[in-house]
């Protein structure tokens, strides 16, 4: 359904020397610098799949999504979605996709919500009977009834997001792009939106690309994730595999009687670990220790700690998905294995 | 034909939304409208003083009644051809929300245009008809005979429609400048003043000395409000009328072309702001 090959996007950025003199200088002589926002992405998405597209802020997610939706023209690489090339014939291409940018709205701000839907009905040339069925379905899934007659500006953020998702689904698109659809929402609303997305995916076999910073979104919805950082792909595979591969990182929180004694713990000497295998962070009178449990098992590690320092309290944690991703973002985990 | 129907269906929805949007902000509009009418009276009294002190009843072919008609008509024309397209498109480019138009199967310029047409439909019914009625009544009582001609009204409507499209595309081009400049506030004020002066909205172009007038009347700004007003007032007749309307069409074609070219250029190099 979606084929992306070696996709690249470069921007020219003007560099300005600091201060007023810099501003004046840049008026006459512009220095530019090329920024690689997306630097060689390759992945496929099958029909009906929900792909989680994640990465830290500024990783190039939005730029990638904007290319996939036909807004931006790639610098190089090939792109084929639903049999079409997004940037070639934008008007034709966007007829069969739906897009939600969580931070923006496609609703008519001052008009009752229904008006947005009637405008969209005309734009997409949806038949009256089809439109009715569709509205009924979306209403059932997203529960729009209570605010459908209110002007959009009076809606709460959660209502607005539901309305926006409905607006992007009205024409039964084959591919749906959801860019942070749960941003700024409370737990209950997030949960409802996730359920709605899952239902839409199941009923319509819609292919969905979902970007989010909320990993619960990913855990409930996506079987597969693509992670990018600095414009490059750092992981492509199932969530399970990621957990199994990187879940071996374990965390031990230790609270000490004497904060200074923390220095006595020397893992490289005790177990021959290299600095890539562990991480120690001091926190007040305690410390947080992360290590690779495939190199040293937990029992040995605990024994060593209890023997070396005076422990007031100790807690062992399994690294959850959030922790794994945090480590990948901070490049603490090498993904090239 | 089929294509036309499709366009009407797609963009008609925007016009509909435009009408409703207008209604949503009617109080705001009322204030604006009263302000403009007040401005008309200020201009009227200024010209009245000018005529009184000159001691003549006729100045460059304009009688006092003509002047009254001119002032109100120019303002009405300014009202009808006035367009927010510079502001609205520049704003969307600046904050990046223009992408919400790009993800829809519509042309960006037409979606702006048809939305605004909805506003204009309301404007025509709420302002144009009553003011024209008042103006004609004034003319009738001042002159003692009916000066109104239906053929002139029709020509005026055609001419002002072209004017509006011309204004829309001229402003669209200015709006597109936001791709390069990102903030247009200062430029917009400069543009407004240029248009006001060169379009004859402040002083009729007929009052300028010969060579200056010749140049001014060939500029696109004259096509904006001056031409339709002159047509209505029967100052343009025969070949002069035809030439001036053709000028309008020509400028319209030129501005549409320029706006298309800029858009094609910008679409390829679009760098969306934010998010």
């Amino acid at each position: 359904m979606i084929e992306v090959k070696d996709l690249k996007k470069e921007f020219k950025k003007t560099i300005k020397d600091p201060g007023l003199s810099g501003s004046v200088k840049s008026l006459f002589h512009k220095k530019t610098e090329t920024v690689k926002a997306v630097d060689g992405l390759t992945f496929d998405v099958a029909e009906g799949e929900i792909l989680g597209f994640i990465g830290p802020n500024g990783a190039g997610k939005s730029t990638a999504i904007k290319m996939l939706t036909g807004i931006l023209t790639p610098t190089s690489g090939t792109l084929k979605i639903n049999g079409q090339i997004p940037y070639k014939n934008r008007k034709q291409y966007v007829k069969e996709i739906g897009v939600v940018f969580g931070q923006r709205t496609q609703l008519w701000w001052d008009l009752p919500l229904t008006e947005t839907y009637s405008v969209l009905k005309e734009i997409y040339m949806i038949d009256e009977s089809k439109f009715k069925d569709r509205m009924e379905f979306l209403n059932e899934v997203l529960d729009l009834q209570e605010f459908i007659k209110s002007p959009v500006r009076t809606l709460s953020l959660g209502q607005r997001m539901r309305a926006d998702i409905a607006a992007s689904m009205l024409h039964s698109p084959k591919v749906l792009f959801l860019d942070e659809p749960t941003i700024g929402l409370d737990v209950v609303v997030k949960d409802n939106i996730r359920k709605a997305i899952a239902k839409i995916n199941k009923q319509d076999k819609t292919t969905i690309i979902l970007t989010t910073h909320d990993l619960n979104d990913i855990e409930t919805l996506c079987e597969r994730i693509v992670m990018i950082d600095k414009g490059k792909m750092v992981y492509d595979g199932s969530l399970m595999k990621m957990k199994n591969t990187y879940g071996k990182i374990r965390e031990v929180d230790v609270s000490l009687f004497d904060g200074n004694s923390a220095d006595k713990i020397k893992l490289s000497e005790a177990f021959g670990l290299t600095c890539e295998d562990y991480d120690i962070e001091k926190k007040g009178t305690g410390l947080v220790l992360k290590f690779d449990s495939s190199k040293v098992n937990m029992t040995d590690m605990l024994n060593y700690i209890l023997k070396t320092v005076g422990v007031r309290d100790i807690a062992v944690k399994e690294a959850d998905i959030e922790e794994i991703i945090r480590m990948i973002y901070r490049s603490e985990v090498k993904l090239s294995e | 034909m089929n294509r036309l129907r499709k366009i009407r269906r797609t963009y008609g929805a925007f016009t509909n939304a435009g009408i409703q949007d207008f209604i949503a902000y009617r109080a705001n509009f009322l204030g604006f409208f009263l302000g403009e009418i007040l401005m008309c009276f200020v201009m009227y009294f200024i010209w009245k003083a000018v005529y009184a002190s000159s001691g003549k009843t006729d100045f460059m072919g304009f009688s006092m009644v003509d002047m009254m008609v001119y002032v109100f008509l120019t303002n009405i024309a300014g009202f009808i051809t006035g367009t927010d397209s510079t502001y609205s498109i520049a704003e969307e480019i600046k904050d990046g929300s223009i992408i919400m138009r790009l993800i829809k199967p519509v042309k960006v310029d037409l979606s702006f245009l048809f939305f605004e047409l909805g506003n204009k439909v309301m404007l025509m019914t709420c302002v144009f008809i009553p003011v024209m009625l008042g103006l004609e009544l004034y003319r009738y009582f001042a002159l003692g005979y009916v000066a109104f001609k239906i053929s002139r009204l029709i020509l005026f409507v055609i001419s002002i429609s072209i004017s509006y499209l011309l204004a829309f595309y001229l402003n669209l081009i200015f709006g597109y400048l936001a791709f390069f400049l990102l903030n247009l506030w200062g430029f917009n004020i400069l543009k407004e003043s240029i248009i006001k002066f060169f379009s004859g909205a402040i002083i009729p172009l007929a009052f300028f000395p010969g060579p200056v007038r010749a140049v001014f009347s060939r500029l696109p700004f004259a096509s904006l409000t001056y031409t339709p007003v002159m047509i209505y007032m029967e100052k343009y007749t025969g070949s002069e009328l035809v030439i001036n309307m053709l000028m309008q069409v020509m400028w319209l074609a030129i501005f549409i072309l320029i706006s298309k070219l800029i858009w094609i250029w910008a679409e390829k190099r679009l760098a969306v702001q934010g998010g």
Side-chain angles (χ1 to χ4, degrees), chain A residues 108-119:
Chain A
W108 292 81
W109 196 243
D110 294 311
L111 304 185
L113 183 55
T114 38
E115 293 305 321
T116 296
Y117 298 137
S118 18
V119 171

Side-chain angles (χ1 to χ4, degrees), chain A residues 66 104, chain B residues 91-99 178-179 182 270-275:
Chain A
K66 279 170 193 156
R104 304 186 190 281
Chain B
E91 203 54 30
E92 290 200 4
I93 291 169
K94 207 171 84 182
D95 68 18
S97 52
I98 192 157
I99 61 172
F179 281 122
L182 298 183
L270 190 64
V272 177
Q273 311 283 315

